[in-house]
Amino acid sequence: MKYDVVVVGAGIAGPIVARNVAKEGHSVLLIDKKPAIGAPKQCAEGINIGVFEKHNIPYDKRFINREIYGARLYSPSGYTLEMRYSRVSGVILERKVFDKMLAFYAARAGADVLPRTEATDVIREDGKIIGIKAKKEGEPIEIRADILVAADGVESTIARKAGINTYAPPHEFDSAYEYEMLIEGFDPDLIHLWFGNNVAPRGYVWVFPKDEDRANVGVGINSDNPMTAKYYLDKWLKENNIPFKKILEVNVGVIPVGGFLKELVKNNVLVVGDAARQVNPMHGGGMAEAMEAGAIASKWIVEALKEENFELLKNYTTEWWEKDGKRLERVLRVRKVVEHLTDEDLDVFIQTLSGIDAEKIAGGRYSEVIKTLLKHPKVLMSPRRIALLKELL
Ligand SMILES: Cc1cc2nc3c(=O)[nH]c(=O)nc-3n(C[C@H](O)[C@H](O)[C@H](O)COP(=O)(O)OP(=O)(O)OC[C@H]3O[C@@H](n4cnc5c(N)ncnc54)[C@H](O)[C@@H]3O)c2cc1C
């Protein structure tokens, strides 16, 4: 088998690359080790509404579980901050369908797609990577390609096999544990987030509604915590008297929240999505970032193939860092300060920020946040809280 491009991993980033490159007439193979693309999910399935138009993805009810109109944040002492919009602000997807449909859009654009095909190694000839070794339904195969894309998620092995150092220490990852379950009593038009050092160290507990009485309920905490994420989730459910014997799925996963790969390209190999740790370090959402990176990577793959000049692939690194990397590094700096806030700080912030746009807080646009916080005496009198404001500047 010989292709222009082989893409390893049909999560979010991989199919976007495969679709965009195949659409321009190049031969592309997209593989995934899962027998059914998209399953099992490892995700709370929340995404901003803007990605559909931006990345030319149909707004298809088959993978949209529920439209969401905002968020409610809960502080350790029970203060709430609600942001409710008159328009749909995001959706809770059905990723088992969404990922499969993204792969289908790649197939429709001309890419070949093979599930249950696991990349096991790269093939080198005269020091150059000329393809991958894989197991297709258990049988060893070799796939030759001019360009290799590692879109194989947080545990990415293919980038490492290609000589790209993707190592990060455990502290730079969050551990997540989630039940999709029957849960009642939460406004199903909003996502719900609980903060507190005893609730979710460094992270939050979430309820992302998929129905009036069904939701993804999970927690993310720092991976090097002595207690498990499951411990915190079960504790939260017990403390809130939420019955947990009506569970439809258990989802476990790791989220890279500690920084980004500096070099996203080495010769003819590109790394995208979680494999390159392209995740918003504040809230751990990586789908939109994976799409964005996939779009930039595919643009330069198409250019490189057209010009027959693989040096152009390096522009993916440059453009990603200019467009997204710098912004996300700033979000990371703020997250690092936020993770040292006490429960009292969290109370003050959530109490004070009522009315601020959540997207501004998570997305790194802080001027309104700073103005509001500076009006509060409890913020002004605390050096720790002022330190946060300095990071926001
Ligand atoms: C519990 C949890 C909740 C989350 N909630 C949200 C959320 O609500 N919103 C959000 O935006 N993000 C969320 N995320 C993050 C989000 O899931 C990821 O950022 C996103 O899926 C990254 O897309 P990706 O394509 O880079 O990787 P993935 O979606 O992980 O896809 C990688 C694919 O590569 C395949 N693969 C791996 N190795 C190989 C191999 N050797 N050969 C072939 N195939 C291989 C895998 O099977 C997988 O399908 C959550 C993550 C977790 C763990």
Side-chain angles (χ1 to χ4, degrees), residues 9 11-13 32-33 42-46 95 119 151-152 176 273-274 285-287:
I12 302 291
D32 202 290
K33 64 183 177 185
Q42 288 175 298
C43 192
E45 306 179 287
R95 273 203 66 176
D152 47 348
D274 275 19
M287 284 192 282

Side-chain angles (χ1 to χ4, degrees), residues 151-163:
D152 47 348
V154 66
E155 286 157 32
S156 174
T157 47
I158 285 306
R160 242 172 298 145
K161 298 250 184 197

Side-chain angles (χ1 to χ4, degrees), residues 42-90:
Q42 288 175 298
C43 192
E45 306 179 287
I47 196 159
N48 187 287
I49 192 81
V51 297
F52 296 93
E53 204 183 324
K54 188 168 191 191
H55 296 290
N56 196 18
I57 298 167
Y59 193 69
D60 189 330
K61 294 283 176 195
R62 279 177 293 181
F63 48 68
I64 291 168
N65 265 294
R66 193 165 188 89
E67 294 180 329
I68 295 293
Y69 290 84
R72 189 179 294 155
L73 277 47
Y74 301 77
S75 83
S77 304
Y79 295 106
T80 60
L81 160 55
E82 183 172 302
M83 289 144 294
R84 189 187 293 268
Y85 309 105
S86 52
R87 287 200 194 149
V88 175
S89 61

